[in-house]
Amino acid sequence: MGMLETVLRGTRDAGRKLFVPYVTGGFPGIDAALLRDLAEAGADAIEVGIPHSDPIMDGGVIQQASRIALEAGTRPADVLATIHEAAIDVPTAAMTYVNPVYRIGYERFAAALERGSVSGAIVPDLPVDETGDLNAAAQAHGIDVVLLAAPGTSADRLAAIGRTSHGFIYCVATYGVTGARDALAATARDLVDGLRPVTDLPLLVGVGISSPDHARDACRFADGVIVGSALMARLLDGDRAGAVELARSFRDAVA
């Protein structure tokens, strides 16, 4: 159990719901100071995206942010340097895709995360059946590999995800990519209910958590929420202060 899981379990077991904001590393204005601001706004952990040219899980907002970051020359090492510079007390998880991780090499990637003060890795296009090498390398460096579970996943596969994930389980609320939704999908509760019998990990709902009301609704059955596009939309508009204030609103909604 790494720092990410230790902290989130402890907070959950103390009776508090979890709030994890996501930001795209390398996007202008997403710097060490912003990560500190998000921590001060009440984040229990922070997910930082390493931009990739084919972000297949992400909708338009995060795709645009990733494109801008890549056009600015952002490399994985730059994102990790920002996290390390922030020196925040809450754990961070790096989110990226399997191609750059495979290219870097699982051992080198895990070692780089450890040097960058990162305690979790989220690789959404790496299926549970193929996580063995990354998990082995990550555990040697104290990194929790967080797996995703999606609506429609079979009971056997949910059990495998429950056994294999570390840190928490990212419960994808609805079919489709990240982005704003008008309402919290009913599939979110079905997914969390399916995972409860097979794991004691914190269960956090993400994808389509567009408002504090959505977050409050999700926390009636889940252990917390992950919020990305709603915050990144403010940052794309250049409204840094508004993004931090929105993060505080999400924190207040799930408290």
Side-chain angles (χ1 to χ4, degrees), residues 14-246:
R16 180 175 174 178
K17 297 295 184 175
L18 301 165
F19 167 56
V20 178
Y22 163 95
V23 291
T24 302
F27 182 81
I30 297 179
D31 51 19
L34 179 65
L35 298 185
R36 294 186 199 110
D37 287 344
L38 291 173
E40 291 172 4
D44 296 293
I46 300 175
E47 180 186 353
V48 183
I50 297 175
H52 180 50
S53 58
D54 188 20
I56 58 173
M57 181 183 172
D58 295 309
V61 169
I62 295 176
Q63 285 184 23
Q64 184 179 356
S66 295
R67 176 183 58 78
I68 292 169
L70 290 171
E71 289 175 351
T74 300
R75 301 166 302 166
D78 300 322
V79 178
L80 300 183
T82 297
I83 296 170
H84 185 68
E85 180 188 350
I88 54 179
D89 292 333
V90 302
T92 55
M95 184 275 199
T96 188
Y97 292 89
V98 70
N99 278 354
V101 176
Y102 183 79
R103 178 69 180 270
I104 293 167
Y106 293 143
E107 168 62 28
R108 288 180 59 204
F109 178 69
L113 294 186
E114 183 181 23
R115 289 194 303 272
S117 305
V118 176
S119 54
I122 302 172
V123 186
D125 57 341
L126 184 65
V128 62
D129 321 83
E130 299 177 19
T131 58
D133 290 341
L134 178 57
N135 253 332
Q139 289 179 24
H141 291 277
I143 308 298
D144 289 323
V145 176
V146 175
L147 300 186
L148 286 76
T153 302
S154 69
D156 287 348
R157 201 162 183 83
L158 288 180
I161 292 168
R163 290 191 303 269
T164 309
S165 189
H166 299 275
F168 65 91
I169 295 179
Y170 191 129
C171 302
V172 179
T174 186
Y175 297 98
V177 296
T178 62
R181 304 290 197 279
D182 292 333
L184 180 67
T187 47
R189 181 160 201 156
D190 294 339
L191 179 58
V192 170
D193 287 348
L195 282 162
R196 287 285 182 208
V198 297
T199 183
D200 188 43
L201 284 168
L203 303 178
L204 275 61
V205 173
V207 181
I209 305 295
S210 307
S211 70
D213 284 343
H214 290 175
R216 186 180 297 110
D217 289 345
C219 285
R220 292 193 173 100
F221 54 87
D223 298 316
V225 293
I226 304 158
V227 179
S229 295
L231 299 176
M232 286 305 306
R234 298 285 182 98
L235 292 164
L236 279 171
D237 288 340
D239 187 7
R240 177 190 178 116
V244 175
E245 186 57 35
L246 182 59

